[in-house]
Amino acid sequence: MLMFVLVMVAVVVVIVAAVLVIGFGQRGGRGLKKRFGPEYGHAVQLHGGDAKAAEAELGERVRRHGSLEERSLTPDLRERYRAQWARIQEKFVESPDKAVAEADMLLSRLAEDRGFPPGDQFDDQMAALSVHHSEHVRGYRDLHATAQGRGSTEEMREAMIRARGLVTALTTGQPAPSARHRPHHREGRDAAPQAPGGHHAKGSTL
């Protein structure tokens, strides 16, 4: 009789533990989806649809970079980056390849100045950025890919537009609106380059 009771207790303990593990895994998955947004789907795709493997990778990113504290930029440095980005956007009209290469380097330096891993460790830098700016890392990833010569002019243009969100987030210290919420008429520094007189620069598509 005592043996039967012990066996039943052991069975109950195993069942309760299994339920707790499953529940924790579900909560963890929901938390990662909420934290990473579209980056969660990208990770799942990279792992061939294996959500568990993707969640393990994303969890590791949080473990490694979640405690990273972003450094503030001085006002002068912030304005310098914004001015450089504006010049790069203008340059895209005449020389897309050079503009994209310069934009990639600018984002690399900007992220490093904000306290993220150095740009020569791109994968590590991207992983850290995905933890803190998940809405905007796709633009940087696409920009980096096209800067390596992998992309048409239209793909470079789209990458520049998407990367602008991360530039804004890193120079303001606040999350920038995602592309799907971008207003039709943009104003200010992040608007399309304009020629003297307020007209858009000839041929500009940014």
Side-chain angles (χ1 to χ4, degrees):
M1 184 65 179
L2 179 59
M3 182 63 69
F4 175 77
V5 172
L6 291 175
V7 170
M8 290 303 296
V9 169
V11 169
V12 171
V13 169
V14 170
I15 292 174
V16 170
V19 170
L20 289 175
V21 169
I22 292 172
F24 178 78
Q26 291 175 339
R27 290 193 298 273
R30 287 196 295 269
L32 289 171
K33 283 182 181 179
K34 183 177 180 180
R35 177 163 193 161
F36 284 94
E39 185 67 7
Y40 179 92
H42 175 76
V44 172
Q45 185 178 16
L46 284 181
H47 286 276
D50 187 340
K52 293 297 183 184
E55 289 168 7
E57 179 191 329
L58 295 175
E60 177 63 13
R61 293 189 203 178
V62 174
R63 187 190 68 79
R64 292 175 57 202
H65 304 293
S67 61
L68 183 150
E69 294 186 8
E70 296 184 60
R71 293 195 296 260
S72 298
L73 298 176
T74 64
D76 286 347
L77 189 56
R78 183 182 302 115
E79 288 306 310
R80 194 182 311 159
Y81 273 119
R82 289 173 176 170
Q84 288 174 354
W85 181 259
R87 287 196 295 271
I88 289 171
Q89 288 186 121
E90 293 171 357
K91 181 178 292 187
F92 185 89
V93 179
E94 299 296 334
S95 183
D97 292 339
K98 290 183 179 179
V100 165
E102 290 182 18
D104 183 46
M105 290 188 290
L106 180 145
L107 260 172
S108 174
R109 293 194 308 271
L110 175 56
E112 187 172 351
D113 281 344
R114 287 300 308 273
F116 291 94
D120 59 1
Q121 301 171 22
F122 178 77
D123 290 341
D124 204 34
Q125 186 182 71
M126 178 61 65
L129 284 167
S130 73
V131 173
H132 297 272
H133 296 282
S134 60
E135 281 288 321
H136 305 295
V137 291
R138 178 191 172 188
Y140 185 20
R141 183 183 291 115
D142 291 350
L143 185 71
H144 187 72
T146 57
Q148 309 306 310
R150 301 192 298 271
S152 64
T153 300
E154 177 60 19
E155 288 170 332
M156 287 189 284
R157 184 185 73 84
E158 290 294 332
M160 287 283 292
I161 290 173
R162 285 192 291 268
R164 182 167 53 205
L166 184 57
V167 174
T168 301
L170 292 177
T171 54
T172 63
Q174 298 293 332
S178 62
R180 62 179 178 275
H181 294 140
R182 190 171 60 241
H184 293 295
H185 300 287
R186 297 186 296 273
E187 298 179 354
R189 290 184 179 274
D190 287 327
Q194 292 188 344
H199 300 294
H200 290 302
K202 183 179 180 181
S204 174
T205 55
L206 293 180

